[in-house]
Amino acid sequence: MTTDTPAPTQAEASAGAPAGVWTAEVDRGDDALDRIAAEWDGLATRCRTATPFQDSAWLRSWWRRYGRPGALVLVLVRRDGRLVGAAALCRRGVLGGLTNLGGGLVDFTDVLLDDDCRGRAAAELAAALPLRRPWHRLELREVHPEAAVQQVLAHHRGTVRRYRDSLCQQLPALPVEELLERLSGRTAQRGRVKLRKIAASGVQVDTAPPEEVPQAVADLLRLHFLQWQERGVTAEHRTERFAAHLAESTASMAARGRAAVHRFRLDGELVAVNLVVLCPSFGGLYLYGAHPRLRERLDIAGLVFGAALDEVRAAGIPVLSLLRGQERYKQRWRPDALRNERLVVGPPGPAPAAAVLALRVLARQLAVMLLTARLPRLKEALQRVFNGDWAVMRGAGHRATRMRTAVRTPARPVSRRCPPPDCAGPRAPESTTESTTRLPFEDTL
């Protein structure tokens, strides 16, 4: 274990800031998350902006499967010995690069700040960030506009560059009849017909108890593969480490009311499983799997959405988040959209490493914008290739022909305004991949 513990810091604080002895440390031990798990979760309960992806069970499980020995960096701030600010980061590269934990598996990245002393804790955490040398840099993905780290970086004396990241969507946790009022009259009526069909189908829904969550997660992934096998499954979702991470973290979170796994049975057969992550500010639809045969009988999206909405409302949570992605099934409810940010942070003074990283991010985002606007079919092909979905590519010669044609002939510009999909009648085509997929152009990991 390596721990850097400076003397009590003197970060800038507003008048009337909480008194006490303030200390900060940078803990680089591989077991740091395990050692402070109880303190971490205690702080999370006192942080109004904490999301399920800042839960210690999620972070520790992710680190065990995806972390690199010697790369963990925890920045901890205490007031009179009590943890009041915390950031979980990891080293990337050999020149002092840092990034958030979670990689592409989290929908929101953030730090933790105690609500009782939020302003001072943010200032102390900013002062303790290990960004001292010109070659140091910090990149944070999927940062919500109202995340606690935004307050921390307001105190940072170095550079902060902001770029667009994933689009997240959400709905108020209202009764479904009130949500239908967001739709046009004809579309709302068709939605009611689908919901009545679900209610009359005899589908039985239950929530897996914590001891059954690992098996429920295994069933979820099995059904997930079946559901998306013809259209491309994100490569990471097929790995043993992802399955182990999701099972371990979800079981611990479910035991504390931070996650729920819904199981759907029809005629005695398990036909769908849905994972909802929970926190005081929102409940999020993280991942689901459904047997392909179910699509022929019921509206799968309406089925899992209804169960998630009931879970969130029963817990008194105000928002149902659809998390990242713009899949068609999400658009039927006309959700409110909010875009995350990608932050590139440099040290005070000269920051050439952060500037170079910022240029790379900008160049890659411009490349993606060009592909999206001019060559959307090529982008789709690249997404499939880098998802590892070679079987779909090999078995779809006619699609490959169309893709080659798209390379030779620029496609028509894609409309930025999507009409609300009809939630009845002929089934609208689903998105080509089961979740938001980043191309190499979009990622620097």
Side-chain angles (χ1 to χ4, degrees):
M1 179 189 75
T2 303
T3 304
D4 306 327
T5 308
T9 58
Q10 299 295 326
E12 295 178 351
S14 58
V21 177
W22 291 77
T23 59
E25 63 177 313
V26 178
D27 193 335
R28 305 175 190 273
D30 288 338
D31 62 344
L33 282 168
D34 292 325
R35 283 188 282 102
I36 68 162
E39 280 188 287
W40 186 282
D41 283 335
L43 175 57
T45 63
R46 305 190 302 275
C47 177
R48 65 176 182 270
T49 52
T51 79
F53 305 109
Q54 281 76 60
D55 190 275
S56 72
W58 182 277
L59 294 173
R60 286 184 293 140
S61 174
W62 183 90
W63 180 253
R64 277 192 278 272
R65 275 81 190 186
Y66 296 88
R68 178 168 52 86
L72 183 62
V73 178
L74 296 189
V75 186
L76 308 172
V77 172
R78 288 185 168 83
R79 176 192 174 200
D80 295 330
R82 187 188 196 190
L83 188 66
V84 295
L89 308 171
C90 61
R91 291 176 51 218
R92 185 174 63 191
V94 296
L95 295 179
L98 295 171
T99 190
N100 54 276
L101 267 62
L105 303 182
V106 299
D107 293 75
F108 298 110
T109 290
D110 206 357
V111 301
L112 299 177
L113 297 175
D114 193 316
D115 293 333
D116 290 339
C117 52
R118 196 176 184 86
R120 177 68 183 269
E124 299 288 353
L125 191 57
L129 290 175
L131 297 173
R132 302 283 187 269
R133 307 298 184 186
W135 53 86
H136 289 171
R137 67 179 191 270
L138 168 63
E139 182 182 19
L140 300 174
R141 301 297 306 267
E142 308 300 351
V143 178
H144 190 281
E146 298 179 2
V149 74
Q150 303 279 15
Q151 190 172 356
V152 172
L153 295 179
H155 294 274
H156 181 61
R157 297 181 179 180
T159 59
V160 180
R161 296 177 173 88
R162 302 174 185 274
Y163 302 94
R164 290 158 55 94
D165 218 331
S166 301
L167 187 71
C168 292
Q169 301 180 93
Q170 64 184 36
L171 288 163
L174 300 173
V176 67
E177 190 60 37
E178 293 186 35
L179 291 178
L180 287 170
E181 293 177 2
R182 300 167 68 98
L183 313 181
S184 65
R186 186 177 180 182
T187 302
Q189 182 57 34
R190 289 173 175 171
R192 293 186 183 95
V193 170
K194 287 194 170 187
L195 292 175
R196 284 197 294 268
K197 187 176 180 180
I198 292 173
S201 68
V203 172
Q204 297 179 326
V205 185
D206 78 319
T207 301
E211 63 273 14
E212 296 180 15
V213 164
Q215 181 58 52
V217 169
D219 291 333
L220 185 158
L221 293 174
R222 174 179 58 82
L223 292 169
H224 186 71
F225 302 154
L226 287 174
Q227 177 185 0
W228 294 100
Q229 62 184 345
E230 297 299 328
R231 286 168 287 177
V233 178
T234 298
E236 184 58 35
H237 290 178
R238 295 182 293 205
T239 64
E240 292 183 4
R241 65 179 182 178
F242 177 75
H245 159 61
L246 200 63
E248 179 185 329
S249 60
T250 303
S252 177
M253 293 168 68
R256 293 176 287 114
R258 302 280 284 182
V261 182
H262 301 141
R263 300 177 292 193
F264 304 82
R265 290 182 172 86
L266 186 60
D267 299 330
E269 179 186 0
L270 184 67
V271 293
V273 183
N274 181 40
L275 169 58
V276 181
V277 292
L278 303 166
C279 65
S281 58
F282 73 85
L285 286 158
Y286 185 73
L287 191 67
Y288 75 92
H291 198 287
R293 289 199 304 268
L294 186 61
R295 186 178 302 277
E296 302 169 3
R297 301 181 58 177
L298 296 174
D299 173 28
I300 297 175
L303 182 67
V304 299
F305 177 88
L309 183 62
D310 290 343
E311 181 78 38
V312 168
R313 296 190 67 242
I317 296 172
V319 170
L320 175 62
S321 175
L322 309 182
L323 301 180
R324 292 183 295 167
Q326 302 178 60
E327 294 87 346
R328 289 179 183 271
Y329 74 87
K330 296 180 180 180
Q331 306 307 319
R332 72 171 60 177
W333 300 97
R334 294 187 179 179
D336 302 318
L338 194 64
R339 187 171 292 279
N340 286 342
E341 291 184 323
R342 181 176 186 170
L343 307 181
V344 177
V345 184
V356 170
L357 175 57
L359 288 174
R360 289 170 57 192
V361 171
L362 181 59
R364 291 174 182 186
Q365 291 195 344
L366 290 174
V368 171
M369 290 174 60
L370 177 63
L371 282 173
T372 302
R374 300 293 181 138
L375 301 170
R377 289 174 180 166
L378 175 59
K379 181 182 179 182
E380 177 183 329
L382 291 172
Q383 284 178 325
R384 288 184 180 276
V385 169
F386 289 105
N387 256 352
D389 191 19
W390 296 100
V392 172
M393 292 292 292
R394 288 197 300 265
H398 63 288
R399 292 183 186 175
T401 300
R402 288 202 302 269
M403 291 169 187
R404 288 193 294 269
T405 303
V407 174
R408 293 194 299 267
T409 306
R412 291 175 296 175
V414 178
S415 172
R416 296 297 182 185
R417 186 181 297 275
C418 298
D422 197 348
C423 63
R427 182 175 299 278
E430 298 284 348
S431 59
T432 55
T433 54
E434 47 80 31
S435 64
T436 301
T437 302
R438 293 188 184 127
L439 299 176
F441 311 109
E442 299 173 87
D443 232 329
T444 57
L445 294 178

